[in-house]
């Protein structure tokens, strides 16, 4: 089978870039930290107050923070430890606080990959970060999760007459606040730092590039996918 000159050049560039990257990774790996002593020597040790700042239950103010949060991240891992982080969003108050050690998260329509759900079935450990717009502290929760189809709970989570098909129940092991440094460094809530969305690659464009497909026609505008009108 004939191969074009352009194709050969592209393959050569790819192989060269790969070899350079492998050399760099090998160099970095040679300087990796492998023990806690090495880590503490470079990073310093946390104070007892920081190490022990978590509780195994929610306090009234932590509950208030959760109820005010419309957006959070859910981290899970499968039985082999392969990780996944998924963004979740709903109107504030959608996460149900069942008691001071248990919360429930409604599952809304998505693309049915259900990476996190498959992980929870294989490995119950879960981590959450709750975020409130224009607030630079966050709430972190670690615990163990399971999936439920309890009809009474799901009915209480309906929005626009649409009941979720399942919910994630989280039994809390640790709950604690995280300081504002990441948001302050990033300028996350400062509009002057935000990029023009038109200059940022779209989901469709990135997916086409990943699969070596022709770029999408975005001549009529970006980010106009049909799914944006089907939220519940």
């Amino acid at each position: 089978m004939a191969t074009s000159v352009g194709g050969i050049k592209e393959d050569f560039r790819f192989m060269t870039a790969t070899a350079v990257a492998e050399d760099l990774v090998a160099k970095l790996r040679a300087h990796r930290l492998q023990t806690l002593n090495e880590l503490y020597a470079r990073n310093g040790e946390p104070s007892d107050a920081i190490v022990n700042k978590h509780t195994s239950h929610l306090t009234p103010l932590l509950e208030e923070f959760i109820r005010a949060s419309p957006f959070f991240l859910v981290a899970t891992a499968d039985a082999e430890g392969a990780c996944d982080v998924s963004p979740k969003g709903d109107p504030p108050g959608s996460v149900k606080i069942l008691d001071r050690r248990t919360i429930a998260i409604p599952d809304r329509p998505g693309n049915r990959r259900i990476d996190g759900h498959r992980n929870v079935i294989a490995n119950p450990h879960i981590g959450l970060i709750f975020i409130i717009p224009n607030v630079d502290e966050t709430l972190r929760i670690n615990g163990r999760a399971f999936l439920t189809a309890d009809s009474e709970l799901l009915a209480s989570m309906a929005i626009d007459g649409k009941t979720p098909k399942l919910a994630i129940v989280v039994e809390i092991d640790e709950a604690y606040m995280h300081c504002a440094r990441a948001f302050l460094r990033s300028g996350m809530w400062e509009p002057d730092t935000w990029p023009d969305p038109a200059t940022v690659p779209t989901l469709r464009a990135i997916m086409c590039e990943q699969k070596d497909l022709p770029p999408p026609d975005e001549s009529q505008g970006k980010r106009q996918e049909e799914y944006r009108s089907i939220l519940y």
Side-chain angles (χ1 to χ4, degrees):
M1 179 181 296
T3 303
S4 68
V5 172
I8 293 175
K9 289 182 177 179
E10 184 62 30
D11 288 344
F12 178 76
R13 282 196 292 268
F14 175 77
M15 290 186 292
T16 301
T18 300
V20 171
E22 289 176 349
D23 288 344
L24 174 59
V25 171
K27 176 178 178 293
L28 298 176
R29 193 181 296 277
H31 294 275
R32 69 187 184 275
L33 307 181
Q34 302 183 72
T35 68
L36 286 179
N37 287 338
E38 290 176 323
L39 178 60
Y40 288 146
R42 183 164 292 269
N43 198 56
E45 295 193 38
S47 67
D48 289 341
I50 294 298
V51 170
N52 297 306
K53 70 177 181 176
H54 62 275
T55 58
S56 60
H57 59 271
L58 299 176
T59 64
L61 290 180
L62 290 175
E63 292 183 7
E64 184 177 332
F65 197 99
I66 291 173
R67 291 191 179 100
S69 173
F71 180 81
F72 52 99
L73 303 172
V74 179
T76 57
D78 65 17
E80 284 72 47
C83 297
D84 178 78
V85 179
S86 179
K88 303 291 182 183
D90 248 345
S94 297
V95 173
K96 296 291 183 182
I97 299 172
L98 304 181
D99 60 43
R100 65 202 303 249
R101 291 203 62 185
T102 317
I103 61 174
I105 302 165
D107 184 58
R108 306 301 183 188
N111 60 15
R112 300 186 180 90
R113 272 187 61 121
I114 56 174
D115 297 287
H117 297 136
R118 289 188 282 111
N119 287 347
V120 166
I121 288 174
N123 175 359
H125 294 285
I126 193 168
L128 310 171
I129 295 183
F130 287 90
I131 299 170
I132 300 173
N134 209 29
V135 173
D136 47 23
E137 300 101 348
T138 56
L139 166 60
R140 295 171 62 172
I141 288 179
N142 299 316
R144 291 153 291 110
F146 62 88
L147 309 178
T148 183
D150 180 82
S151 58
E152 183 177 353
L153 174 65
L154 298 181
S156 73
M157 296 173 158
I159 291 182
D160 294 340
K162 304 291 180 62
T163 301
K165 294 181 179 179
L166 57 86
I168 303 173
V169 177
V170 179
E171 297 174 289
I172 296 169
D173 291 329
E174 295 180 326
Y176 56 97
M177 296 298 294
H178 194 103
C179 77
R181 287 192 181 98
F183 283 86
L184 295 175
R185 291 178 185 130
S186 66
M188 178 68 80
W189 306 130
E190 298 173 19
D192 290 345
T193 70
W194 298 348
D196 178 354
T199 67
V200 179
T202 64
L203 178 150
R204 291 177 61 195
I206 291 171
M207 289 180 66
C208 287
E209 181 185 65
Q210 286 180 292
K211 296 301 180 181
D212 294 322
L213 299 173
D217 179 6
E218 296 180 333
S219 59
Q220 303 303 310
K222 294 183 175 183
R223 298 181 171 87
Q224 298 185 19
E225 300 90 346
E226 182 180 0
Y227 79 83
R228 293 175 179 270
S229 63
I230 308 172
L231 301 182
Y232 294 103

